[in-house]
Amino acid sequence: MDQYSSSLVDTSLDLTIGVTRMRVEEDPPTSALVEELKRVSAENKKLSEMLTLMYDNYNVLRKQLMEYVNKSNITERDQSSPPKKRKSPAREDAFSSAVIGGVSESSSTDQDEYLCKKQREETVVKEKVSRVYYKTESSDTTLVVKDGYQWRKYGQKVTRDNPSPRAYFKCACAPSCSVKKKVQRSVEDQSVLVATYEGEHNHPMPSQIDSNNGLNRYISHGGSASTPAAANRRSSLTEPVTTVDLTESKKVTSPTSRIDFPEVQKLLVEQMASSLTKDPNFTAALAAAVTGKLYQQNHTEK
DNA sequence: CGCCTTTGACCAGCGC
DNA sequence: GCGCTGGTCAAAGGCG
């Protein structure tokens, strides 16, 4: 990063400009009001220019970051031998990843794939592959993740590159749906489940259907659970943690790194909303903000 | 009894 | 051709 530290752009925004002058006189004459209006308009224009400048600076920084990462990736490729893996019809070509629960230990190869995704998309014509990370309890040894769909496990295998077994799932929501899912614990962190999705669902998410008709609500949280008893049995199953690491938000919202799995995206939004409404700190902060706003309004009206 | 999971066997691709 | 590896199948067993 040293080569770029010298060319860093100052993105700080001084929002205190003219604030102290914004106090309106007790009984201003009309000309003073017009003058004040002109001044505020000028400040508004100035702020707009600063915003534009900031946006340009952001783009410059982003471009520099991309160049730097690409360079480091190239050197990593040169130094490390290519992975000895056979070609698979649905390899991580159309790679996309979502990091849930602030899991930041995604391997360099993952980031590599992630950053080169755009270039690869041009050449990829095969089915879509997505990867989702689920943070779990370290004591939880199950390989089931709750992603809103029903899955039928059809195999489990211990792979060479990871001592943890890999579980194979097929979508059980619809017979015509050929989406497959592989779940395996991360090599670096055993508490992280890596779910690799192959293909796209040709049906709506069961949890959405359930929430619409109000029946079988347990399915919306139960993955492959099909009965209340089964849901209870799986009560300790893995659930994508709802704590959202805002430092990772770029990864999710950036145009080049968005989650390509619409269902996963929807689920994330639902979980975020759910966690926010359940969070007492958030509701307290929201109440304080609303109260403050109301108080402010009442104060200015007097 | 039906559904689901487990697990050993089998198959296919790849490298040597 | 052979061995290794990942992926899939299907019979057996468990559970409600």
Side-chain angles (χ1 to χ4, degrees):
Chain A
M1 250 320 185
D2 293 343
Q3 53 181 320
Y4 295 106
S5 58
S6 57
S7 59
L8 284 180
V9 185
D10 180 21
T11 57
S12 61
L13 181 62
D14 184 11
L15 293 174
T16 61
I17 299 170
V19 168
T20 53
R21 286 180 288 144
M22 285 184 71
R23 286 172 57 195
V24 181
E25 299 298 323
E26 284 287 317
D27 190 14
T30 314
S31 59
L33 277 175
V34 172
E35 198 177 331
E36 184 72 12
L37 186 66
K38 281 181 184 174
R39 190 187 56 76
V40 170
S41 299
E43 279 181 10
N44 192 16
K45 191 179 173 184
K46 197 172 180 179
L47 281 171
S48 299
E49 286 170 359
M50 288 180 74
L51 259 177
T52 311
L53 186 68
M54 235 183 83
Y55 182 73
D56 290 343
N57 289 342
Y58 164 74
N59 281 334
V60 170
L61 276 174
R62 191 173 156 210
K63 193 178 172 184
Q64 287 179 355
L65 179 67
M66 292 299 284
E67 283 173 4
Y68 173 75
V69 173
N70 281 339
K71 274 184 186 177
S72 57
N73 282 338
I74 289 167
T75 51
E76 275 178 21
R77 274 181 214 271
D78 292 343
Q79 288 167 359
S80 60
S81 58
K84 183 184 159 187
K85 280 184 182 177
R86 62 171 166 174
K87 286 177 189 173
S88 167
R91 286 217 67 75
E92 273 59 24
D93 289 325
F95 185 87
S96 66
S97 68
V99 179
I100 300 174
V103 181
S104 58
E105 74 285 344
S106 57
S107 63
S108 58
T109 53
D110 287 354
Q111 290 172 355
D112 189 344
E113 296 265 6
Y114 157 79
L115 288 163
C116 296
K117 182 197 162 196
K118 201 175 178 180
Q119 296 167 346
R120 292 177 183 215
E121 272 180 346
E122 293 171 4
T123 56
V124 168
V125 292
K126 291 169 185 178
E127 64 180 328
K128 194 176 284 184
V129 176
S130 304
R131 187 174 295 177
V132 181
Y133 296 86
Y134 293 87
K135 182 80 176 170
T136 70
E137 296 291 329
S138 55
S139 57
D140 186 6
T141 56
T142 60
L143 283 171
V144 181
V145 295
K146 294 178 180 180
D147 52 13
Y149 287 95
Q150 290 177 270
W151 299 94
R152 174 186 167 80
K153 188 178 179 181
Y154 67 90
Q156 183 167 317
K157 198 89 174 177
V158 176
T159 56
R160 208 172 65 95
D161 55 340
N162 193 335
S164 303
R166 175 185 297 170
Y168 299 90
F169 297 89
K170 280 179 184 173
C171 181
C173 300
S176 60
C177 184
S178 59
V179 176
K180 290 173 187 174
K181 177 175 78 170
K182 288 180 284 189
V183 180
Q184 191 171 29
R185 297 200 169 274
S186 170
V187 186
E188 292 93 357
D189 189 348
Q190 293 290 303
S191 65
V192 175
L193 283 176
V194 183
T196 306
Y197 297 86
E198 296 178 8
E200 284 183 278
H201 296 278
N202 55 8
H203 55 85
M205 185 186 278
S207 60
Q208 289 174 341
I209 298 169
D210 297 333
S211 60
N212 286 341
N213 62 20
L215 295 172
N216 298 326
R217 292 184 65 85
Y218 52 88
I219 296 179
S220 67
H221 302 289
S224 62
S226 57
T227 65
N232 286 337
R233 215 187 325 151
R234 289 164 176 79
S235 60
S236 63
L237 296 183
T238 308
E239 190 170 19
V241 287
T242 51
T243 310
V244 177
D245 186 354
L246 293 177
T247 59
E248 295 289 340
S249 60
K250 252 190 184 177
K251 268 190 172 178
V252 178
T253 56
S254 166
T256 55
S257 62
R258 64 187 170 81
I259 305 170
D260 285 335
F261 232 38
E263 293 81 8
V264 175
Q265 217 168 4
K266 277 182 184 175
L267 190 71
L268 272 173
V269 173
E270 285 173 7
Q271 284 165 354
M272 282 173 65
S274 170
S275 67
L276 284 175
T277 51
K278 284 175 186 171
D279 187 0
N281 291 332
F282 173 76
T283 50
L286 185 65
V290 171
T291 310
K293 190 74 181 173
L294 287 172
Y295 176 78
Q296 198 177 7
Q297 277 182 351
N298 289 335
H299 196 69
T300 50
E301 279 171 7
K302 282 177 186 176

